[in-house]
Structure formats: structure tokens, C-alpha cells
Amino acid sequence: MQPPTATGSQDAVLNLIPSDEERQMRDAVRGICSGFGPEYQARLYEQGESPAELWDALAEKGYLGVNIPEQWGGGGLGMSALAAVGEEVSASGNSLLLIVVSPAIAGSILARHGSDEQKERWLRGIAAGTTRLAFAITEPDAGTNSHNLQTSLDRKGDKLVLRGQKTFISGVEFSDAVLVVAPSRSPDGSLGLPTLCIVDVDAPGFTRDRIPMPYLGPDYQWQLFFDDVELEEERLIGGENGGLGPIFDGLNPERIMGAAIACGAGRRALEKAAAYANERVVWGVPIGSHQGLAHPLAEAKIELELARLMMQKACALYDAGAPGAGEASNMAKYATAEAAIRCVDQAIQTHGGNGVALEYGLTQMWWGARLTRIAPVSREMILNYVAEHSLGLPKSY
Ligand SMILES: Cc1cc2nc3c(=O)[nH]c(=O)nc-3n(C[C@H](O)[C@H](O)[C@H](O)COP(=O)(O)OP(=O)(O)OC[C@H]3O[C@@H](n4cnc5c(N)ncnc54)[C@H](O)[C@@H]3O)c2cc1C
């Protein structure tokens, strides 16, 4: 399969029967993840550690760069392959939020818009998994309205100065740098179009505060403060005011990976629920014999499979550079989030009191699943997109 291209589009192929290559890759990722099971996950949970060993084990075999062009050390297999990796990692009960951000968002953007020097400096390491980039667009006052970003880039001689604040930024503690979206300031003092810049996590003037959250996986969320952080020109992707195109090229991979992770979580929840419903006997028969319990699980399974199909369609369209990839990625993100929430909720219900006992591992899944309705793009903003772009309804905001 050719790596995605920004311009030309190929025939989009939706393989309903996984190829041998895909099957082998999924088996291999599952095999690696099986070495990082409940004990490993509990250790990260209890000690607040980053998932470095799992990340390195997957990176060593090239699985964290499967979407990145071969020329830069990746697998050249597109988003279909990275989504398969993300889904299997999530189905194993592990969480690697940076897989959404580093290879999917930053990797896709750099592959299309980075200079050769930037690709050598950043993309090669992202493909190898040895360099990790977080991604920062959300701001406290702008929220969903990314037209209102206030973090600014001011020119000062041959340098640029970054000032402002970001919020809810994932995995900064486990990253080398952050890909920051900030509008450039025009000579008249107004803020222009977004610019994309890469900021080292230890750059002078860059500080962060952790945002306390329920357990969402081993990655933390941060508020970032840029207090006159100086940047060289070479840190800009797409040049000053040139960030819009690159950002859009990172959004579909982001939504696809959000969908893949939701699918993995849904699969895991249903596996746990079915196993428990077959085992647990209270009225002389396994609880799964009662349709009151079996039907909601069956409905959740159908919804998950439908949503997964939309995710596969989004991957196929994106990898072919075909029209409709944006619509399908948004729909996949919406549908997989709703399906995953339903699967996890029903799995908790199936377990009765054990659904909230830490030992059964479902409460640890709840907030991660619930998050998929909010981030990386909220359910409402997807509905806005579909209403406007798919149905031709007036823009509502
Ligand atoms: C755990 C976590 C991790 C995250 N990681 C990152 C990250 O790594 N990088 C990053 O940049 N961001 C990240 N985010 C931010 C995330 O993308 C935003 O939280 C999300 O997009 C919603 O923005 P907001 O929180 O500002 O909500 P707001 O914009 O304040 O919206 C609040 C509610 O109003 C709804 N709403 C707003 N406008 C409209 C409208 N026009 N029509 C209908 N409904 C509307 C929203 O859908 C939402 O339900 C993360 C968030 C969380 C919680």
C-alpha cells in the first residue's frame, strides 16, 4: 500500500477479510501486549509510571511507525495499519495515548508538510518510536472554538517568541517536544492564521501543571505555560501563518486513532462481560441465559461492529487520499465512542457489584471510554460537522 498523499487519490480498498500481513501484525502486537498484562497495568496505575517498557517493546519491532513512509524509517502501510496496532493495544487493556498524537498526528503532518531537515530531525525518530511529540491546540478560553486561540507567536529579529497557555494536553511528561498551534502576530498587532511549531519540553520559559483526573491510563494531562519561549525558524512546520493545512492533515488520523482505541476498549469490555456472564451462576443457570442481560450485550456487539466498519472505511479513504475521508473519520469517531461507552457500561452492569470492584478492571476502563465522547473532538462538534457538511444544513455556530 502506498503512503497517503495530500493530492492524488487512489482507489480506496476496504478489505473485509484481513490480509495475512494484517493478521500477522495484529497477532504480533497482541503477543507483545500479552507480556504487559494486569500486573504491569496495575504497577503503572499504582505508581503513576509512564508506559515506557510497552512503548519501547512495540517501537523496537516498528509497530509505532507503521503509518509513516518507508523513506523516513516507517512501515509505509498507512493509517489502516496504525489503527490496527492501536486497536490491539487498547483491546489488551493497555493505554498509549501518545500513539494518537506522536505517529498519527505529528507523523502524518511532518510526512506531508515537514522540510527534509525536519523529517530527518523529527520524523525518523517518531517512526522509530524513539522521539515522542505531544500535541497542543486546546486553550482554556478558546475551548472548542479554535478560531479564538490566543497563544501567540511574535517575531523578534530572526527568532520567534511563543506566549500563552494550553490546557488538557496529554502525555507531555512522556514526550520530547510538543507540537503547538499558535497564531502568528501581524505587524498591526492582530493575531493571524495558526502557525505550527515544535517546542522542546525543557525549553526555557516552558512550564506545566498537572491537571488531576480520574484514572484514564498512564498518561497525564497538563496545563502548559509558554512565557516568552524563543524558537528558531526551523521549528515552524509550514511557515508562519501556514499551519492550517498541516493541522487539517493531522485531524483525520487523530479521529481514526481515537476510533481505533474506542473499538479496542469495546472489544475488551464485551469479552470480559461474555466470560463473566457464562461463568456467574445465581439462579441455577449462568446469568448470560437471561435475555435481560444477553440482549443488551448483543446490541452492544452489533453497534461496535457497525462502528468498527466505519473506522475501517475511514482508514481506507484516508490511505487512498480519497474524498470523504473527513466525513468518515468524524462518523467513525462518533460511532465508536458511543459503542465503546455502551459496551463498557453494559460490561459493568453484567458484573453487578463486581463491576465496580477494582479487581475486575472495569472501573479502570470507564473514564477512558467516557472520554472518547469528549476528546479528541466532542460528540457535538461531530454532529455539527455532519449536519453542515453531510446534510447541507445551516452552520449553527
Ligand atoms: C483527558 C483529555 C485529554 C485531552 N488531550 C488533549 C491533547 O492532547 N491536546 C489538545 O490539544 N487537547 C486535548 N484535549 C482537549 C479536548 O480536545 C477538548 O476537551 C475537547 O475538544 C472539548 O473542548 P473543551 O473541553 O474546551 O470544551 P468546550 O469548548 O468548553 O465545550 C463544552 C461543551 O459544549 C459543547 N459545545 C461547544 N461548542 C458547541 C457548539 N458550537 N455546538 C454544540 N455544542 C458545543 C462541547 O461539545 C462540549 O460538550 C483533551 C481533553 C481531555 C479531557
Side-chain angles (χ1 to χ4, degrees):
M1 190 185 296
Q2 294 298 307
T5 55
T7 46
S9 93
Q10 313 154 30
D11 288 342
V13 179
L14 182 53
N15 287 321
L16 293 178
I17 300 173
S19 63
D20 287 347
E21 189 184 32
E22 180 183 336
R23 226 191 302 269
Q24 283 161 11
M25 189 179 70
R26 284 181 183 271
D27 285 350
V29 171
R30 261 198 300 273
I32 293 173
C33 290
S34 67
F36 298 89
E39 275 178 29
Y40 175 74
Q41 293 158 21
R43 196 189 87 207
L44 300 187
Y45 175 58
E46 281 155 19
Q47 299 183 9
E49 289 176 27
S50 294
E53 291 115 322
L54 173 60
W55 182 277
D56 290 346
L58 290 165
E60 199 183 308
K61 300 286 181 199
Y63 292 120
L64 298 180
V66 282
N67 61 318
I68 290 169
E70 284 172 291
Q71 188 190 354
W72 301 103
L77 295 169
M79 280 306 299
S80 311
L82 192 67
V85 172
E87 185 187 334
E88 294 306 327
V89 170
S90 171
S92 76
N94 283 289
S95 166
L96 292 180
L97 274 191
L98 278 182
I99 200 176
V100 180
V101 181
S102 196
I105 304 180
S108 301
I109 289 176
L110 278 158
R112 290 184 177 188
H113 301 277
S115 64
D116 280 356
E117 292 75 27
Q118 287 172 330
K119 287 176 182 163
E120 200 58 65
R121 167 69 185 84
W122 298 102
L123 190 56
R124 224 173 253 296
I126 291 173
T130 49
T131 300
R132 285 182 290 267
L133 259 64
F135 177 68
I137 184 167
T138 308
E139 293 185 4
D141 293 333
T144 300
N145 182 2
S146 51
H147 301 288
N148 192 30
L149 297 181
Q150 296 301 313
T151 297
S152 64
L153 264 180
D154 284 59
R155 186 160 278 286
K156 191 170 134 195
D158 59 350
K159 293 243 163 80
L160 292 136
V161 177
L162 183 67
R163 259 187 223 121
Q165 198 177 329
K166 297 284 176 184
T167 192
F168 297 132
I169 310 306
S170 303
V172 184
E173 77 287 359
F174 192 39
S175 299
D176 303 283
V178 185
L179 187 56
V180 178
V181 183
S184 290
R185 196 176 299 283
S186 312
D188 68 3
S190 62
L191 290 176
L193 290 169
T195 300
L196 258 183
C197 52
I198 302 177
V199 185
D200 291 335
V201 290
D202 56 1
F206 177 11
T207 53
R208 59 180 193 254
D209 275 349
R210 195 175 142 198
I211 304 173
M213 296 225 170
Y215 193 67
L216 293 164
D219 298 291
Y220 295 141
Q221 327 304 325
W222 300 90
Q223 240 180 327
L224 309 183
F225 305 92
F226 303 104
D227 191 5
D228 288 351
V229 176
E230 287 198 354
L231 296 170
E232 312 279 342
E233 190 87 32
E234 69 199 25
R235 292 305 184 106
L236 306 189
I237 301 173
E240 270 183 275
N241 298 305
L244 209 53
I247 293 164
F248 275 110
D249 281 333
L251 293 184
N252 291 337
E254 179 190 52
R255 285 154 176 57
I256 287 171
M257 287 310 288
I261 286 171
C263 279
R267 269 173 51 191
R268 180 173 175 79
L270 288 185
E271 268 168 34
K272 279 176 169 286
Y276 192 83
N278 270 317
E279 254 169 41
R280 171 81 172 152
V281 175
V282 281
W283 300 96
V285 289
I287 53 171
S289 334
H290 307 302
Q291 288 184 336
L293 212 67
H295 282 186
L297 289 175
E299 284 169 353
K301 169 72 175 163
I302 292 168
E303 286 177 13
L304 183 65
E305 289 299 328
L306 289 171
R308 189 166 181 265
L309 203 49
M310 183 55 84
M311 176 193 67
Q312 291 170 324
K313 176 178 171 180
C315 290
L317 291 174
Y318 179 83
D319 285 340
E327 181 189 60
S329 302
N330 273 297
M331 288 180 172
K333 159 68 186 55
Y334 172 94
T336 53
E338 297 307 312
I341 291 168
R342 185 165 187 179
C343 291
V344 175
D345 186 51
Q346 201 53 46
I348 291 173
Q349 193 64 21
T350 301
H351 281 70
N354 283 332
V356 289
L358 289 183
E359 181 191 342
Y360 287 81
L362 288 165
T363 52
Q364 292 91 322
M365 293 181 72
W366 171 248
W367 280 109
R370 186 61 184 76
L371 173 66
T372 61
R373 193 183 274 161
I374 299 166
V377 56
S378 72
R379 177 181 184 272
E380 293 74 24
M381 292 313 286
I382 293 178
L383 293 175
N384 284 338
Y385 176 95
V386 172
E388 186 185 340
H389 296 281
S390 308
L391 299 177
L393 296 174
K395 187 168 175 168
S396 63
Y397 58 98

